[in-house]
Structure formats: structure tokens, C-alpha cells
Amino acid sequence: MTEQPDWDCRRAGEELDAFVRGDLPLAEAGRMQSHLDRCGHCAEVARYEQAFRDRLRAIDTDTCCPEALLQRIRDLLASPPRES
Ligand SMILES: [Zn+2]
């Protein structure tokens, strides 16, 4: 059995979305987690994404939000990610 190399930031970035959604298989999620433990930058991005999704979920479940704000959030989500 060969040890697989740790993910680099590029790979972590590609899988971050699935990781935050909880869609990564357990083995992959574990490798993502070990990268996040080592990499402050990716951990920061993951934390931000997580908080954002938590907030969105809260908005979805209790619909106290003005429609205009919801639309703004949808627009933000629909816009392409910024080049870094
Ligand atoms: Zn990283």
C-alpha cells in the first residue's frame, strides 16, 4: 500500500467547495482536513466558506429576510469566482 502525497493548495482549492458542502468522501475529507491543519491560508478560506454557508442555510430555513437581500446573495453566488 503506497502512501499518497498530501494535497497541495491547488488541489485543496479545487475540492474546497465539496468539502464545505460535506460532499467529499471520507478519505478525501480526511486529506483535506490534514491540509487545512498545515496550511493557514486554506484553513482561513475554508472557515470563511463554512461561515458563509451556515449563514445562507439560516436564511433559507427562516424566511425573515427581505427578498432584495436574498436576491443580492443569489447574485453574489452566481457571479464567477474572482481570479486570485
Ligand atoms: Zn493550502
Side-chain angles (χ1 to χ4, degrees), residues 4-79:
Q4 299 206 18
D6 279 343
W7 284 3
D8 56 15
C9 289
R10 196 188 129 92
R11 183 69 204 276
E14 285 169 358
E15 305 291 354
L16 189 66
D17 203 49
F19 177 74
V20 171
R21 282 199 311 263
D23 286 349
L24 273 190
L26 202 59
E28 309 270 285
R31 295 177 73 200
M32 172 67 87
Q33 192 58 61
S34 76
H35 179 79
L36 296 183
D37 288 345
R38 284 183 299 108
C39 180
H41 170 73
C42 290
E44 185 66 31
V45 175
R47 204 160 34 236
Y48 178 83
E49 292 273 330
Q50 191 76 63
F52 188 62
R53 281 180 188 276
D54 285 351
R55 211 157 292 182
L56 275 188
R57 213 171 13 244
I59 290 169
D60 278 342
T61 49
D62 66 89
T63 48
C64 65
C65 239
E67 182 60 31
L69 178 56
L70 286 176
Q71 189 55 54
R72 244 190 101 195
I73 293 168
R74 288 191 197 106
D75 288 347
L76 280 173
L77 287 176
S79 61

